Structures are given as C-alpha cells and as structure tokens.
Amino acid sequence: MKLRISSWKMTWTFIIAAVLVAAIIFGIFFSYFLSWPWTPANETQKYWWVPYLLIGIWVVLTVIFYVLTLTSNYYMVSKSEIDQVRFRRHTHYRLENVIYIDQEKSKKRKMVCFFTKDGYKKYLTFDRKGKIYEIMLKNCHNLMSEEEFRNLYPNVKF
C-alpha cells in the first residue's frame, strides 16, 4: 500500500527551507543587490535585468523542487516492513525490529516515534490520514511496555 506523507507538514518544512536559502543567497549577494541599478537609467546601461533574472531563476527552481518533494516522498507499507521513499533513496524499517512506540508523543506531534531493537530512536511523519501509526501498532508484534523498555535500555532518552 502506498501512503503519501502529509502535504501540510511538507509545505511548511519547504517554506522554511526556501526562506533560509533565500536569506543565504541575499546575504551572499547583498552588496550586489544594493548597488545594482534595477531600472535602466539610459540606453548605455547594460545588464539591468540581471537581478530580475536571478530572482526568477530562484522562484522557478523553488517551485520545481517543491513539486518534486511532494510527489517523490511516500511510504510503501507491507505486513512486515515499511519502506520510506525520499526521491530515490529507500529506507527500510522491518516491523519485527520495532520494540517500542511512544504513543503519547506520536499522537501529540503527528509523527510516529519508535525505537528499534538496537535502541535507536526513529521518526516517521504521519501520512495524510494517520494510517501509518495504526498500521505500526497493528503489525508490530514485539512491542513492549515503557517500563520494560526503560529496564532494557536505561541510557536511551525519550
């Protein structure tokens, strides 16, 4: 089953990243943007259109990457594993290796927070309807209580 990641969360993340990139680009070319004439003062002034071109290129690239991000991030779910696909990178999570799901934090933050047998904490963003959380609760058969998990891994921080 293919589950799309929540577009709302991805949009906010992408907006924050786009603003940061714009701030970095503006910071690098700060003096360039301030000293460059934005309109032609006379016919001899060449390349007055370069700042507009740079801003246009940034806007077009931002829109292209936004569409790619929305279309190429999803989960492939089976009964025994979850495959998280980000562009061309696949991350496999075997459900038999999941030993604890922090249900309180998962519901609150709309992200599945779980721990593997190795003691590593992992996060998966909810899909549009939150089915990934329900599937993990249903298909993870090695789940233990919080007390058992803390006794087994006392150094792991929640």
Side-chain angles (χ1 to χ4, degrees):
M1 172 182 354
K2 186 175 184 177
L3 298 174
R4 294 250 175 234
I5 297 174
S6 170
S7 57
W8 177 253
K9 278 197 173 205
M10 287 179 57
T11 300
W12 277 109
T13 304
F14 199 84
I15 287 172
I16 291 169
V19 168
L20 288 176
V21 169
I24 291 170
I25 290 172
F26 184 73
I28 291 171
F29 296 111
F30 183 72
S31 62
Y32 173 75
F33 279 113
L34 288 180
S35 65
W36 198 267
W38 287 78
T39 58
N42 53 37
E43 288 86 28
T44 61
Q45 191 173 11
K46 296 181 180 180
Y47 308 116
W48 59 270
W49 44 267
V50 171
Y52 297 108
L53 178 68
L54 290 176
I55 292 171
I57 290 171
W58 176 77
V59 168
V60 168
L61 287 176
T62 301
V63 169
I64 289 171
F65 280 116
Y66 176 68
V67 170
L68 285 174
T69 301
L70 284 179
T71 58
S72 62
N73 287 320
Y74 54 90
Y75 300 122
M76 291 299 295
V77 180
S78 68
K79 294 216 181 234
S80 62
E81 71 177 9
I82 295 175
D83 184 21
Q84 183 181 21
V85 179
R86 289 187 216 141
F87 296 100
R88 292 188 177 183
R89 189 175 133 214
H90 294 258
T91 307
H92 300 281
Y93 298 106
R94 299 214 36 95
L95 295 178
E96 63 193 27
N97 292 336
V98 176
I99 57 172
Y100 179 71
I101 297 175
D102 192 349
Q103 295 180 15
E104 183 178 319
K105 187 184 260 187
S106 296
K107 288 178 185 176
K108 181 180 173 184
R109 295 190 179 172
K110 304 275 186 191
M111 296 179 77
V112 181
C113 174
F114 64 95
F115 292 86
T116 62
K117 285 182 180 177
D118 303 327
Y120 293 115
K121 184 192 294 189
K122 306 284 184 180
Y123 290 98
L124 294 177
T125 306
F126 272 23
D127 57 294
R128 293 177 179 161
K129 296 180 181 177
K131 288 184 181 179
I132 192 86
Y133 176 68
E134 297 167 9
I135 289 170
M136 286 188 74
L137 285 177
K138 185 174 119 182
N139 293 337
C140 294
H141 302 294
N142 297 331
L143 292 179
M144 55 178 68
S145 68
E146 184 177 348
E147 292 175 11
E148 292 172 335
F149 181 76
R150 286 187 187 267
N151 290 337
L152 192 59
Y153 298 99
N155 296 330
V156 173
K157 295 183 181 180
F158 279 82

